Amino acid sequence: MTHLPYIVAAYGLTLGVAAILSVNATLRLRQARKRLAAIEQPRTRQPS
Amino acid sequence: MTRKSRRLWLVVACMIGLGSAAALTLNAFSSNIVFFMAPSQVHSKPPPADRTIRLGGMVVAGSVRQEKVKDAPVAIFDVTDGQAAVTVRYEGILPDLFREGQSVVAVGTVNPDGTFRASEVLAKHDETYMPKEVAEELRRSGKWDPRFGKAPDAASWNTMTAADNAKKPATQTP
Amino acid sequence: MNATQSLTARTGNLFHRYANPGRFLRMGAKLQPWLTWPALVLSVAGIVWGLFFSPADWQQGDSVRIMYVHVPTAWLASSGYMGLAVCSLLSLVWRHPLADLAAVEIGPVGAAITAVCLATGSLWGKPMWGTWWVWDARLTSVLVLFFLYLGHIALIRAFDEPQRGYRAAAILGLAGAVDLPIIKFSVQWWNTLHQPDSITVTGAPTMSTSMLWPLGLTTLGFTLGFAAIVLARLRASVMESRVRTILAANRGRQSAAPQPDRATP
């Protein structure tokens, strides 16, 4: 392939940023879900 | 009129105002926003000799001469917009895409004799994306010469890829 | 005026149906896999096709393969901002709470995508045009878009009282939408180093179908991926705000609780 370094850099950069965004979103969602579950359970039990 | 629709009309009015302001500004500065001057513009209104301008146009087929001055490559070629041509002299390595018939943008100054002294040459490729084999096939069959103008419509060669690949083994085997 | 009044009210009702956080979380959880998995499959297929199975270009050679990541990110940079502008409108006119949260989440993702678009463009420009960067109308207007994203990110988080940040950022988001048509038409209105669009709404594409296919796959894949990431962040954001509300309510109840407790026995 001609200009291989440029092609590799462009694809690497795109995939790298995509990976960072997805991992960050996944971790944040998981943590938020865990925190919400921990807080909501005792509250739903209380009224009964 | 509820508060919501009042807010909506306010937003619409602001956007129209902002949009027309932007349009008027861009229109007023249009000549500064253009990236390069065409050779005919350089001919009709030659810029002062000390001012760096960008000259854009097509490299005239058959006009490219490569020389060596003290081991430095020098390229001399004509750039045209179809109405006028300017001779460009450039010391340095030309970009990969540089060829006859290619659009280029040269950065530099206009000499008193009307020729252009470039300090940088950028290649401008057009929006045609075509497989290499198709381009070669078109050139071989005489349907298109990249040195003299734009590629034909994509619809005319899109089917060539598959059809030629199917034809090739048959013509090569005998 | 009567017609517009009912129209604004009806539009508001339509969007407010999804403002209920519980309903949004249920719908979001259902929608998420339908965005995530097609996004992954289509992107991987498009990238593999573009890198290894699509033909080299007649004038650009293999560098044309950068197109399969550059063009989708460029399209997403603009359409992501379009989403931001729609959220801004919903926020300003209808005071939609979910639109504010969405605007907070779209900003960083859009900015990252715009940065990728600028960087891959640079990596494509160097070998082809012979320069990393030029100040032509297309490149400059996309750089302005990047700064608009950055400004929006900073503004929406700049106030102690979130509502004021939402309002200010929504105004910036709408005003910045003026840049979108400039980006789109910059290559037609002015002469630029950047080439005109190969794919337009009106004309036939000036691109071989063998290159159009992988480009279509990556564009669809990246767009779904953008939506999936924004949705995941938005769901997390709604959950986080719910946690905050519950904590605040608990604190309020604890401080208010002692008096009735003492009264009951």
Side-chain angles (χ1 to χ4, degrees), chain B residues 2 7-8 15 26 30 35-36 97 99 102 122-132 135 144 154 158, chain C residues 1 5 8 56-60 64 92-93 129 136 174 182 190-192 195-196 198 205-209:
Chain B
T2 61
R7 286 200 298 254
L8 179 65
M15 284 308 284
L26 290 175
S30 211
F35 187 63
F36 52 81
L97 278 190
R99 57 171 178 79
Q102 181 72 280
L122 306 174
K124 176 175 155 62
H125 63 79
D126 65 8
E127 69 276 25
T128 310
Y129 295 88
M130 185 192 287
K132 235 177 206 154
W144 172 55
N158 243 332
Chain C
M1 280 300 115
Q5 191 178 336
T8 42
D57 183 61
W58 69 283
Q59 53 178 346
Q60 306 191 33
V64 77
L92 278 181
V93 177
W129 298 341
D136 82 348
L174 268 183
I182 299 178
W190 305 288
N191 58 40
T192 52
Q195 70 281 6
S198 300
T206 57
M207 184 186 290
S208 158
T209 24

Side-chain angles (χ1 to χ4, degrees), chain B residues 47-114:
Chain B
D50 54 339
R51 209 178 131 208
T52 304
I53 62 153
R54 299 193 197 87
L55 172 75
M58 233 168 73
V59 179
V60 177
S63 73
V64 182
R65 279 172 292 148
Q66 308 255 19
E67 289 170 9
K68 282 240 168 193
V69 179
K70 282 180 271 170
D71 280 351
V74 174
I76 299 162
F77 52 90
D78 292 351
V79 167
T80 181
D81 61 347
Q83 295 162 36
V86 170
T87 305
V88 177
R89 188 190 147 90
Y90 171 62
E91 284 182 36
I93 298 156
L94 291 163
D96 291 3
L97 278 190
F98 184 92
R99 57 171 178 79
E100 295 176 353
Q102 181 72 280
S103 293
V104 293
V105 175
V107 188
T109 52
V110 180
N111 294 328
D113 62 346

Side-chain angles (χ1 to χ4, degrees), chain A residues 1-3 11 28 39, chain C residues 51 62-63 65 105 240 247:
Chain A
M1 280 194 195
T2 50
H3 305 296
Y11 275 81
R28 194 176 144 198
I39 231 169
Chain C
L51 265 183
D62 286 308
S63 306
R65 298 179 203 284
E105 300 309 329
E240 283 159 7
L247 284 180

Side-chain angles (χ1 to χ4, degrees), chain C residues 51-87:
Chain C
L51 265 183
F52 303 110
F53 298 103
S54 71
D57 183 61
W58 69 283
Q59 53 178 346
Q60 306 191 33
D62 286 308
S63 306
V64 77
R65 298 179 203 284
I66 295 175
M67 173 180 71
Y68 305 121
V69 290
H70 173 72
V71 171
T73 51
W75 138 259
L76 267 177
S78 278
S79 51
Y81 198 89
M82 197 67 216
L84 199 62
V86 169
C87 286

